[in-house]
Amino acid sequence: MYRDFPGTVLCGTKDDKVPYSTEGASSVTPATSVVGDAVFDDTDPFRLRLLDGLAASIGERGYRATTVADIVRHARTSKRTFYDQFASKEQCFLELLRADNEKLGQSIRAAVDPEADWHLQIRQAVEAYVKNIESRPAITLSWIRELPSLGDAARPVQRHGLQLLTGLLIDLSASPGFRRANLPPLTAPLAVILLGGLRELTALAVEDARPVRSIVEPAVDASIALLGPRH
């Protein structure tokens, strides 16, 4: 789950209420976000249930093969409930990826000690990235490979994700640990290069059925090379 709702909620419309235990839900703080012209409400438990249903179906059969019927089957609700929340499978997918990127950014930020040696901070960030991807590799692969196929509809979410994660890298590289080593903060172009390379490494590992953890050392080495002394 993306959010934590204590106890039990009823999922669906008045015609299809299904008891749903929220035990074990994640603890990302509910919020309302704007990406492009779209407004995302992260506080509605019905909506969150459907996002989890889409995530489960992507893990099972991929985004392209997933239907609204698959989503509501995993969510244990109805198509009526789905269309009360989302105009289409595409809109649900875009919101899922937006939420997943925000969760990734929060996980990395929480894992890095800004006072630590800069080499250690890089390893902490990479380890947090890999741990997050390991839990949902199909979602990450769909972001990298399938989101671009949506064309203009995907642009706001792509830009939002890029800005969120490159901004995070720039912020982390301006921490006390980096300043003590007299290293300048990462520039925006270098952050884009680093993030793009990391995503491609991740996609190749998932597509080849290799452990995502196999990218840790090359990702750490590339990050050190880009973030280290620059002349």
Side-chain angles (χ1 to χ4, degrees), residues 5-214:
F5 293 92
T8 300
V9 299
L10 294 176
C11 182
T13 66
K14 65 180 181 180
D15 298 321
D16 70 322
K17 292 179 179 177
V18 179
Y20 166 44
S21 172
T22 56
E23 182 179 354
S26 72
S27 57
V28 180
T29 303
T32 299
S33 306
V34 178
V35 179
D37 295 327
V39 178
F40 299 109
D41 180 6
D42 299 342
T43 62
D44 190 324
F46 301 160
R47 198 174 186 88
L48 301 176
R49 182 68 176 274
L50 289 162
L51 290 175
D52 282 340
L54 174 56
S57 186
I58 289 174
E60 180 181 80
R61 56 189 307 183
Y63 171 70
R64 289 182 185 276
T66 288
T67 65
V68 171
D70 294 320
I71 298 170
V72 300
R73 172 172 56 85
H74 282 286
R76 292 184 295 148
T77 185
S78 69
K79 287 186 177 181
R80 176 179 173 181
T81 298
F82 180 89
Y83 288 110
D84 280 345
Q85 298 291 336
F86 299 103
S88 63
K89 181 185 82 165
E90 178 182 284
Q91 185 193 51
C92 187
F93 181 54
L94 293 174
E95 183 164 341
L96 173 67
L97 295 185
R98 189 272 313 167
D100 203 65
N101 265 281
E102 292 190 352
K103 181 182 176 185
L104 172 61
Q106 291 169 1
S107 298
I108 294 172
R109 194 178 291 277
V112 176
D113 176 5
E115 297 291 340
D117 176 80
W118 68 281
H119 294 87
L120 178 57
Q121 289 190 53
I122 287 174
R123 185 166 293 277
Q124 289 172 334
V126 171
E127 290 281 357
Y129 170 85
V130 167
K131 183 178 179 179
N132 188 278
I133 302 308
E134 283 177 326
S135 67
R136 298 162 74 83
I139 301 299
T140 300
L141 188 61
S142 66
W143 168 276
I144 298 168
R145 296 295 193 237
E146 296 180 303
L147 179 62
S149 69
L150 300 185
D152 290 344
R155 299 286 186 266
V157 174
Q158 286 177 308
R159 291 298 295 268
H160 175 75
L162 182 65
Q163 291 166 0
L164 186 153
L165 295 176
T166 56
L168 170 63
L169 293 176
I170 292 169
D171 289 347
L172 294 178
S173 69
S175 71
F178 280 84
R179 291 201 301 270
R180 283 198 303 272
N182 295 316
L183 295 175
L186 195 63
T187 64
L190 287 179
V192 171
I193 290 170
L194 179 55
L195 183 61
L198 188 58
R199 281 182 165 164
E200 187 61 27
L201 271 179
T202 302
L204 291 173
V206 175
E207 288 172 337
D208 295 343
R210 289 185 287 111
V212 180
R213 186 147 295 276
S214 67

